[in-house]
Amino acid sequence: MINAPQSGPLASLFALRGICRTYGEGDTAVRALIDVDLDIYAGELIVLLGPSGSGKSTLLNILGALDRPTAGTLAFRGVPLTGVSDHALTQFRRQHVGFIFQFYNLMPILTAAQNVELPLLLTRLSPKQRRENVATALKIVGLEDRAKHRPRELSGGQQQRVAIARAIVSDPKLLLADEPT
């Protein structure tokens, strides 16, 4: 499990050193990230800007442990994330990361509340605690009155807010937003 205490008041939440990500091989290889060094501290807001295809989503996927770097090291609170098992990365995501995906990724057959509850189903929270967390997250994004609506019954902006509620419902240490607006 990846849950080490932070050491010192200015220790970084994330430390990336020499991160590279290459897709494919040989002449068709695409180098999406080349030697990225980055420190992210608790409470920071970081914005990645660049043209389409510049590696922004790739970097977010590596930070969120959805993808692995080809080279370099990534550490969370001083604990390496590179070289750990898929299970450990799943645990890390579950405990520490909230995602707002570019295309929302809402489940069409579920209500707004059920979509928000999805990340909580993998926790030890009781059904009552899950319902309370979902209600709070929907209230934060101003959708408490749309909890029983399915995505097709919501406007694009409302769907986006459901995705935001889903990302914050577990109070993650890291919130990753890939073109959320």
Side-chain angles (χ1 to χ4, degrees):
M1 180 163 351
I2 300 163
N3 201 9
Q6 200 167 351
S7 58
L10 296 178
S12 64
L13 191 61
F14 277 91
L16 290 77
R17 297 292 177 264
I19 294 291
C20 297
R21 182 63 171 109
T22 303
Y23 296 98
E25 296 179 6
D27 293 342
T28 61
V30 175
R31 296 177 72 190
L33 298 174
I34 303 168
D35 292 324
V36 174
D37 291 332
L38 178 65
D39 287 295
I40 300 173
Y41 297 90
E44 269 192 317
L45 171 66
I46 296 175
V47 177
L48 302 174
L49 298 172
S52 181
S54 64
K56 301 178 302 291
S57 293
T58 299
L59 182 59
L60 290 178
N61 287 338
I62 287 173
L63 281 169
L66 291 173
D67 195 6
R68 293 176 185 259
T70 307
T73 60
L74 167 65
F76 174 74
R77 293 182 168 173
V79 176
L81 292 178
T82 44
V84 301
S85 70
D86 288 341
H87 178 73
L89 291 179
T90 298
Q91 292 290 99
F92 165 76
R93 283 190 303 272
R94 183 182 312 155
Q95 293 174 358
H96 302 293
V97 183
F99 293 97
I100 305 169
F101 295 101
Q102 183 174 357
F103 298 107
Y104 315 140
N105 292 350
L106 300 179
M107 302 296 291
I109 63 169
L110 301 180
T111 65
Q114 290 168 329
N115 268 285
V116 173
E117 185 182 21
L118 280 174
L120 299 179
L121 295 175
L122 301 173
T123 69
R124 292 190 172 126
L125 293 176
S126 70
K128 181 180 184 233
Q129 290 171 309
R130 290 195 315 262
R131 282 191 302 276
E132 289 171 359
N133 286 17
V134 167
T136 299
L138 286 170
K139 185 174 183 177
I140 288 170
V141 299
L143 287 178
E144 60 271 28
D145 62 331
R146 307 294 277 176
K148 294 183 180 178
H149 289 76
R150 298 198 191 303
R152 71 178 179 281
E153 300 168 327
L154 302 171
S155 71
Q158 290 170 327
Q159 290 179 38
Q160 181 180 43
R161 288 187 282 153
V162 170
I164 293 168
R166 181 184 56 202
I168 64 171
V169 73
S170 62
D171 195 24
K173 305 281 184 287
L174 177 67
L175 184 59
L176 298 172
D178 192 359
E179 297 189 37
T181 55

